[in-house]
Amino acid sequence: MAKPHDCSIKYTLSVMSGKWKWIILWLLHRDNVKRYGEIKKDLDDITHKMLSQQLKELESSLLINRKEYNQIPPKVEYSLTEKGKTLIPILELMAFWGDEHHPENS
């Protein structure tokens, strides 16, 4: 029989699956608001298709806001929602762990 926390962890992993979502949230936490091109520039290894997909999934999970400005050229900004901000302590722990255990820091 599955323990209640097992289901909670599975749910969290289903929402935050993939390597890019955590990094996107960290960038938005660090800079508050970012445009699509700025995120893409920070994640030079990500494809346009993957970034678009990850942003849409984060938005549909209510973790980020997408603000579209009615202008030419089009302008879209992304920021964390209050729900998204609740993941920041986890990201900070991940960053701390990485700093402590990264092979380059040994």
Side-chain angles (χ1 to χ4, degrees), residues 64-80:
I64 64 171
N65 290 311
R66 180 181 188 275
K67 185 174 182 181
E68 192 171 332
Y69 294 88
N70 189 16
Q71 66 181 50
I72 297 180
K75 178 180 173 182
V76 177
E77 292 180 336
Y78 295 93
S79 61
L80 291 176

Side-chain angles (χ1 to χ4, degrees), residues 15-39:
V15 172
M16 294 303 299
S17 63
K19 71 177 186 179
W20 297 111
K21 288 180 184 175
W22 289 106
I23 299 168
I24 292 167
L25 290 182
W26 185 254
L27 292 172
L28 294 176
H29 164 64
R30 185 188 69 191
D31 297 331
N32 293 319
V33 175
K34 286 187 96 55
R35 294 180 65 180
Y36 178 91
E38 294 170 325
I39 298 170

Side-chain angles (χ1 to χ4, degrees), residues 1-69:
M1 182 169 181
K3 297 176 185 170
H5 294 300
D6 292 348
C7 294
S8 299
I9 291 171
K10 286 179 186 176
Y11 169 72
T12 303
L13 290 174
S14 73
V15 172
M16 294 303 299
S17 63
K19 71 177 186 179
W20 297 111
K21 288 180 184 175
W22 289 106
I23 299 168
I24 292 167
L25 290 182
W26 185 254
L27 292 172
L28 294 176
H29 164 64
R30 185 188 69 191
D31 297 331
N32 293 319
V33 175
K34 286 187 96 55
R35 294 180 65 180
Y36 178 91
E38 294 170 325
I39 298 170
K40 178 74 172 94
K41 184 177 177 184
D42 287 340
L43 305 175
D44 56 352
D45 294 343
I46 196 169
T47 64
H48 167 72
K49 180 181 175 183
M50 179 58 70
L51 178 56
S52 295
Q53 177 185 334
Q54 298 291 278
L55 290 169
K56 286 177 186 175
E57 289 176 13
L58 287 167
E59 183 182 11
S60 69
S61 297
L62 305 176
L63 298 174
I64 64 171
N65 290 311
R66 180 181 188 275
K67 185 174 182 181
E68 192 171 332
Y69 294 88

